[in-house]
Amino acid sequence: MVDPQEAIEKARNAITERVELPGMSLMEHLEELRKRIVHSAIYLAIGFFIAYVFHERLYGFVQAPLDKLGIKLNYTHPMDPLNLYLQVSFIGGAILASPFVLYQVWLFIAPGLYQKEKRFVIPFMTATVGLFLAGELRWLIQ
């Protein structure tokens, strides 16, 4: 049988753990979300413009496997080359901006986590960034 005093004490402990987190209204949550989305969009735009400066080189990465096979890209519409440059630049910009966008995601969700949940973030992010950089270095070495 459960002791009522023990149940009340558990409930009090759960409430005091939750008190450390700031409470926000729905509108405050939506404002914070809008702020993080706007910052992420700005980072993506900056990444796009930086990648567009190197669009010829990025196009070379896309074309390299086909060059090894002796295949040239076949464009079926006059705007296809420009669209390809823009798409390659956007993807390159998204890769460049991804750490900043992920940081914005973290800033949005971090206030809602308990301290014991936050301690798992450092090993997870270290592994994520390490594997990301290892994959990028693999592409640069080839």
Side-chain angles (χ1 to χ4, degrees):
M1 196 150 147
V2 178
D3 182 29
Q5 250 347 70
E6 188 178 321
I8 291 171
E9 190 61 34
K10 279 185 178 180
R12 281 188 184 142
N13 288 339
I15 290 171
T16 54
E17 279 183 21
R18 189 71 185 157
V19 166
E20 71 184 52
L21 300 175
M24 294 173 71
S25 70
L26 177 62
M27 291 307 291
E28 290 171 332
H29 274 98
L30 291 176
E31 274 187 38
E32 182 70 16
L33 179 61
R34 183 182 63 84
K35 177 180 167 184
R36 299 298 164 208
I37 289 173
V38 167
H39 284 151
S40 296
I42 290 169
Y43 291 133
L44 280 172
I46 291 169
F48 170 78
F49 288 117
I50 291 171
Y52 190 76
V53 171
F54 302 102
H55 69 277
E56 288 287 337
R57 187 177 235 181
L58 293 171
Y59 174 78
F61 283 130
V62 172
Q63 183 66 37
L66 295 174
D67 285 343
K68 288 180 184 177
L69 297 173
I71 301 172
K72 291 290 182 186
L73 287 177
N74 186 14
Y75 300 114
T76 58
H77 190 273
M79 292 301 292
D80 282 349
L82 176 65
N83 287 336
L84 182 60
Y85 283 143
L86 293 175
Q87 288 175 359
V88 167
S89 297
F90 182 74
I91 291 170
I95 290 170
L96 284 174
S98 65
F100 302 104
V101 172
L102 289 175
Y103 182 64
Q104 293 300 313
V105 170
W106 171 250
L107 289 176
F108 182 71
I109 65 169
L113 297 176
Y114 290 111
Q115 194 62 35
K116 61 184 174 184
E117 295 170 334
K118 289 181 184 179
R119 70 178 178 186
F120 293 112
V121 171
I122 291 175
F124 175 74
M125 289 306 291
T126 303
T128 302
V129 170
L131 292 171
F132 174 78
L133 292 175
E136 289 300 312
L137 288 175
R138 183 179 153 259
W139 279 102
L140 290 175
I141 291 172
Q142 288 181 350

